[in-house]
Amino acid sequence: MISARIKSLIPTGLALALLAGLFFAASPTQDYGAAANPCANRETSARYDCYRTRFEELLRADGLEAAVGFALAAAREDADPTVAHNFLHPIGQEAYRATGNLEGAREHLDRYYARYRSGLPPGTLETDIVLEGYHHGVLQAYLAERGDVPRLGLMAEACASVIDLERPADPIARKSSSRCFHALGHALMYANQNHLWRSLADCDLLPRPWTRGYCYYGAVMEHHYRSNPALGAYVAPHTAAPTPPVQPLRELCPKVAGPYRTACHRLVGRDELVRNRGDFAAAFAACRELGAAADHGPCITETAFGLVTLGDDFNTMLAECRQTGGYERECIIGTAVGINSKPELGQLERFCAAVPEEFRRDCKTADASYAALDFTP
């Protein structure tokens, strides 16, 4: 039976279409990414409203494959490459509930987006955003639906292929191996009614510091998502029970000590960027106000990823980076990572050619530099 959770996210009558879509895909000859995206690059709240309406229309008319295809097209065409991510959370949740197991839910993902992957460079955000958003949703339902099983056992099952892995020395390999632990952080927040401290404590059950760090990062990121009113029900917890208020990270993180600090401070700028409606100067200033200087650069790098929303306006991107108060290099690295998340556009080489010569090498190796900024306490 379709869950009450999904019914709260879509209009009456769509629940049956969604359940059918989980098992009966639309015709593989249809191309839902061909038409121009009517929602791309609108103001944030209007964009989310537009995507939600279009997403629901496709669920009603053509089933889940069409909706997932639209999410992929949205990630390709929208200047904000993360805009489609949260819409895949409830789809992953429902896939787990429909199949009743992790393996079955993960197989659905392969069936729904394999053909959209063809022709795209491996690891592009168009595939990763669906993979991660859907995977977050699968693990959210998995943890919430099996509350009678000890958490460590559930987490070990969910991340069985990497749970005992020693911290990979290569930063790119480490980033790839970390995705399941990051997803657990999001899932724990959903299962724990958005209680951040309870979720961080569950992350502490993981066996190795490096895996715990990525779990902390996912939990804090889910808290950060709640600061964006445009996401609404898409970041709601498992039930309608009361949840803690959303505290701005710039107020919360200075109170955080020990192993949680790195993950929390890393997201302060991104949180301020949402709260200040895209004001990068205010977001970068919040990073510089963090108590430990060692946290300033990683926070600015993480925040600068959002400059990709400016499209190919490299002059404005670089002007923003010059206003970071001595962290221009870190800003350029974050911007380059954002640009390179869509390598099929071929913009990274042009962007790196535009940066000051002293930062060009950093720009070209930005992905490795970013991956090296892990969350090992």
Side-chain angles (χ1 to χ4, degrees):
M1 180 179 293
I2 204 78
S3 70
R5 162 72 174 159
I6 203 74
K7 288 178 181 177
S8 72
L9 295 174
I10 56 180
T12 303
L14 282 184
L16 183 59
L18 174 58
L19 187 58
L22 285 168
F23 298 102
F24 303 103
S27 166
T29 62
Q30 292 174 284
D31 183 0
Y32 297 97
N37 184 345
C39 307
N41 310 325
R42 297 188 184 191
E43 190 273 330
T44 300
S45 59
R47 187 162 73 250
Y48 273 98
D49 288 343
C50 178
Y51 280 127
R52 185 176 295 115
T53 299
R54 182 63 178 139
F55 200 76
E56 292 163 354
E57 288 171 349
L58 287 171
L59 279 172
R60 181 188 298 112
D62 297 307
L64 184 60
E65 186 186 5
V68 173
F70 178 68
L72 280 166
R76 259 196 301 275
E77 298 167 10
D78 198 291
D80 182 349
T82 65
V83 73
H85 175 95
N86 286 285
F87 292 101
L88 274 298
H89 283 201
I91 299 303
Q93 292 163 17
E94 207 56 41
Y96 175 81
R97 294 184 179 115
T99 60
N101 63 80
L102 287 173
E103 184 179 357
R106 286 165 171 166
E107 286 175 357
H108 276 304
L109 178 63
D110 290 335
R111 180 158 73 90
Y112 290 130
Y113 86 87
R115 69 186 177 85
Y116 297 99
R117 183 192 294 166
S118 63
L120 295 175
T124 56
L125 195 65
E126 290 85 346
T127 57
D128 286 351
I129 199 168
V130 174
L131 173 65
E132 294 189 16
Y134 181 100
H135 190 217
H136 292 179
V138 168
L139 292 192
Q140 284 173 330
Y142 163 77
L143 290 186
E145 299 288 318
R146 300 184 64 190
D148 57 331
V149 179
R151 277 281 159 79
L152 179 56
L154 290 177
M155 293 192 292
E157 180 185 348
C159 300
S161 64
V162 289
I163 192 70
D164 292 320
L165 189 68
E166 296 289 348
R167 180 176 179 266
D170 177 70
I172 299 295
R174 186 164 64 247
K175 184 73 172 175
S176 178
S177 301
S178 75
R179 285 176 175 158
C180 191
F181 305 113
H182 173 76
L184 282 177
H186 286 272
L188 287 166
M189 284 287 283
Y190 176 78
N192 287 329
Q193 294 299 117
N194 281 334
H195 284 270
L196 179 60
W197 303 116
R198 192 182 306 165
S199 301
L200 294 173
D202 280 340
C203 290
D204 283 332
L205 298 172
L206 290 168
R208 286 176 171 75
W210 81 274
T211 63
R212 295 195 289 269
Y214 280 99
C215 184
Y216 303 151
Y217 180 51
V220 176
M221 184 177 288
E222 191 72 16
H223 179 93
H224 152 65
Y225 283 160
R226 294 178 64 215
S227 69
N228 186 344
L231 293 180
Y234 286 84
V235 290
H238 177 45
T239 71
T243 60
V246 185
Q247 188 174 6
L249 290 184
R250 70 182 303 173
E251 298 175 8
L252 175 68
C253 292
K255 305 172 186 176
V256 173
Y260 309 142
R261 191 200 67 172
T262 300
C264 196
H265 285 191
R266 179 90 167 256
L267 287 162
V268 165
R270 281 180 57 169
D271 200 56
E272 286 301 300
L273 196 61
V274 170
R275 294 176 182 280
N276 290 286
R277 302 176 65 83
D279 186 339
F280 282 94
F284 292 141
C287 290
R288 296 194 304 270
E289 291 168 5
L290 294 172
D295 293 325
H296 297 179
C299 176
I300 285 173
T301 296
E302 187 81 24
T303 307
F305 182 94
L307 287 169
V308 71
T309 60
L310 298 177
D312 60 357
D313 187 355
F314 300 154
N315 288 334
T316 301
M317 293 178 187
L318 293 172
E320 293 283 5
C321 286
R322 287 193 294 272
Q323 304 304 313
T324 53
Y327 291 96
E328 187 174 0
R329 172 184 175 273
E330 289 79 1
C331 182
I332 286 172
I333 288 172
T335 307
V337 170
I339 289 171
N340 202 39
S341 66
K342 302 180 112 181
E344 74 283 358
L345 297 182
Q347 292 183 334
L348 182 64
E349 185 175 351
R350 292 192 295 111
F351 173 71
C352 291
V355 308
E357 187 173 355
E358 62 186 301
F359 300 126
R360 283 181 190 161
R361 179 177 176 81
D362 295 309
C363 183
K364 293 175 182 178
T365 60
D367 279 351
S369 297
Y370 179 74
L373 294 172
D374 70 6
F375 304 92
T376 303

